[in-house]
Amino acid sequence: MTVAIYEDNLLWGPRLAKTVTAFGHEALMARTADVIPADVAIVNLSSSGFPVAELVPKLKAAGIKVIAHAGHKETELHEAGRDLGCDYLATNSEITHKLPQILETFAI
């Protein structure tokens, strides 16, 4: 499975990519908010570099499943992700500890 990672945090991005590849998937790091052809996208809802209100609808229109994450106390961001139609909403902790299991739910 190809996973596009929309993450502007210099620690989170490489960590997510490493986990994705360790479990046999291809990780593509986004540098811009352009749609990268992928099966799944991981989007940080608190990103300042990727305007999620514009990005998520573009990803969904391209047929890409969206896994979105934010801190567990950032309920307004989780609500925004729900309103944008994200396919899976996770806390940062879930992304850290359960990413392989989350990706499995989208296996094709």
Side-chain angles (χ1 to χ4, degrees), residues 2-21 25-38 40-44 47 50 55 59 69 99:
T2 303
V3 181
I5 301 171
Y6 292 86
E7 177 64 63
D8 55 1
N9 182 299
L10 297 178
L11 296 175
W12 271 93
R15 184 177 184 180
L16 291 174
K18 187 175 182 178
T19 301
V20 167
T21 57
H25 306 291
E26 180 183 7
L28 303 172
M29 293 295 300
R31 302 289 177 226
T32 67
D34 294 330
V35 173
I36 297 174
V40 176
I42 300 173
V43 176
N44 183 343
S47 173
F50 297 106
L55 176 61
L59 293 169
H69 69 95
L99 183 56

Side-chain angles (χ1 to χ4, degrees), residues 55-102:
L55 176 61
V56 171
K58 289 194 300 187
L59 293 169
K60 299 292 293 172
I64 299 170
K65 300 292 183 187
V66 177
I67 299 169
H69 69 95
H72 72 278
K73 292 184 180 181
E74 295 177 302
T75 54
E76 70 285 350
L77 293 178
H78 285 274
E79 188 173 314
R82 193 174 301 107
D83 292 344
L84 289 169
C86 294
D87 298 287
Y88 193 101
L89 293 167
T91 63
N92 292 338
S93 177
E94 288 175 308
I95 287 291
T96 300
H97 300 290
K98 298 179 182 177
L99 183 56
Q101 294 89 338
I102 293 169

